[in-house]
Amino acid sequence: MSAPSSTTPIQDPLVAPKVAPAKKKPYPFWLGGVAATIAASITHPLDLTKVRLQASGDKRMIESIKKTVRTAGVRGLFDGISGTWMRQMSYSMCRFWAYDESKKILGAGKDAPAWKLAAAGSMAGGIAGFIGNPGEIVMVRLQGDFAKPPEKRFNYKHCFDALFRMVREEGFSSLGRGVTPNVFRAILMNASQLASYDFFKAELLKTQYFEDNIACHFTASFAAGTVATTVCSPADVLKSRIMNASGPGSNSTLGVIRASMKNEGPMFMFKGWLPAWTRLQPTTILIFLTLEQLKNGVDWTRSKGYDFL
């Protein structure tokens, strides 16, 4: 009888076999949409002011806010908030889900290089920008309505009324108005905001000054908000102007660019940058702080044996 092979491992009966750690259950896909909706509700007055600066004759942020309060009262600062909710629960929910899925496809793990994160963000932005375009139009129109003369207002009652009337009065194709600059902006936004947050967070955690806590999340989101505002400003201005238009042929991207360049010069692309930064900065911070806390809440409920999240 031949002796046992020396390469055959011998299992000690007194030592328990190693068990591979259980794979962590993914977070609910809708967490990003809920976090974005909470953040956007808080910063809605600033977003309203940004849209009115971009799409109307208002010149300065403070004057625009005063005009809104003077003509519609404090409640006027929350004009069109139902459109904001519709937009966040379509566009934002989709982009966070698609970003996580895109990172899996590209193999962008915890310490992934910036280009992989940006590529995943771009993929997510393209998908979310297309799917969320109707909600984006509704939000822009509801926010910009009271900045127009009475005879040019849409006078939508709420987000669903806006959606149904658009299809009935302008045709189903109206839901695709401004989809090109919106998708382009969504690609830029996700490549700059989501990707830069992950990048800055990973870099901060490599230092001795930060741990995975609120201070780290705040710093990373502050940097991400500034990057995203600057990168997205040109597409954001075009999107607002095209979506807020209603005349025939007014949805031409090149036509809007030519007219704006002729009347205002190239700096029109950064019109409303300060209110955009003032709005996007706290929104970005609130989104990621809220998202991180929602994830902590999911982890806590699961640790207590509750698997409904």
Side-chain angles (χ1 to χ4, degrees), residues 31 59 84 168 183 194 199 218 222 224 226 228 244 293 301:
L31 280 191
K59 301 297 183 183
T84 296
R168 186 173 67 247
V183 169
L194 298 186
F199 175 77
F218 177 88
F222 185 93
T226 302
N244 212 36
Q293 294 307 307
T301 56

Side-chain angles (χ1 to χ4, degrees), residues 50 54 226 229-231 233 270-278:
K50 179 208 70 171
Q54 291 176 344
T226 302
T229 303
T230 305
V231 170
S233 182
F270 295 95
K271 187 175 182 182
W273 186 94
L274 179 59
W277 180 85
T278 306

Side-chain angles (χ1 to χ4, degrees), residues 34-192:
V34 172
T37 301
I38 294 171
S41 298
I42 296 171
T43 60
H44 182 79
L46 295 173
D47 196 30
L48 181 75
T49 303
K50 179 208 70 171
V51 169
R52 290 180 176 178
L53 279 170
Q54 291 176 344
S56 71
D58 295 346
K59 301 297 183 183
R60 298 179 183 276
M61 181 174 64
I62 301 300
E63 280 79 356
S64 182
I65 293 174
K66 288 180 178 179
K67 177 182 175 183
T68 299
V69 174
R70 186 172 62 251
T71 56
V74 175
R75 288 184 59 185
L77 295 174
F78 292 89
D79 282 340
I81 196 167
S82 65
T84 296
W85 293 338
M86 174 179 279
R87 188 248 189 184
Q88 298 302 337
M89 290 307 293
S90 56
Y91 164 73
S92 288
M93 184 166 64
C94 180
R95 75 184 179 118
F96 277 98
W97 167 80
Y99 180 58
D100 288 337
E101 294 301 314
S102 298
K103 286 196 293 184
K104 293 177 186 176
I105 293 172
L106 296 175
K110 185 178 179 181
D111 295 318
W115 70 266
K116 272 194 176 183
L117 296 174
S122 298
M123 291 168 63
I127 296 169
F130 181 79
I131 293 175
N133 197 69
E136 193 86 25
I137 301 172
V138 169
M139 181 192 72
V140 169
R141 288 191 173 189
L142 284 171
Q143 289 180 355
D145 215 26
F146 281 97
K148 296 180 176 181
E151 66 276 7
K152 293 185 178 181
R153 293 175 185 173
F154 295 108
N155 293 316
Y156 299 137
K157 297 177 182 177
H158 45 69
C159 61
F160 296 109
D161 179 54
L163 203 62
F164 296 146
R165 280 184 52 192
M166 279 175 59
V167 174
R168 186 173 67 247
E169 297 170 6
E170 303 175 48
F172 190 78
S173 62
S174 65
L175 299 180
R177 179 184 285 269
V179 68
T180 300
N182 190 43
V183 169
F184 181 59
R185 176 190 175 277
I187 291 172
L188 295 177
M189 173 62 73
N190 287 275
S192 57

Side-chain angles (χ1 to χ4, degrees), residues 24-25 27 294-304:
K24 189 174 181 180
K25 186 179 176 181
Y27 292 105
L294 288 174
K295 288 180 177 180
N296 289 341
V298 171
D299 290 337
W300 182 83
T301 56
R302 289 175 178 174
S303 70
K304 299 298 181 181

Side-chain angles (χ1 to χ4, degrees), residues 227-248:
V227 171
T229 303
T230 305
V231 170
C232 297
S233 182
D236 201 24
V237 173
L238 287 175
K239 171 189 72 80
S240 293
R241 294 188 177 194
I242 292 172
M243 288 183 174
N244 212 36
S246 58

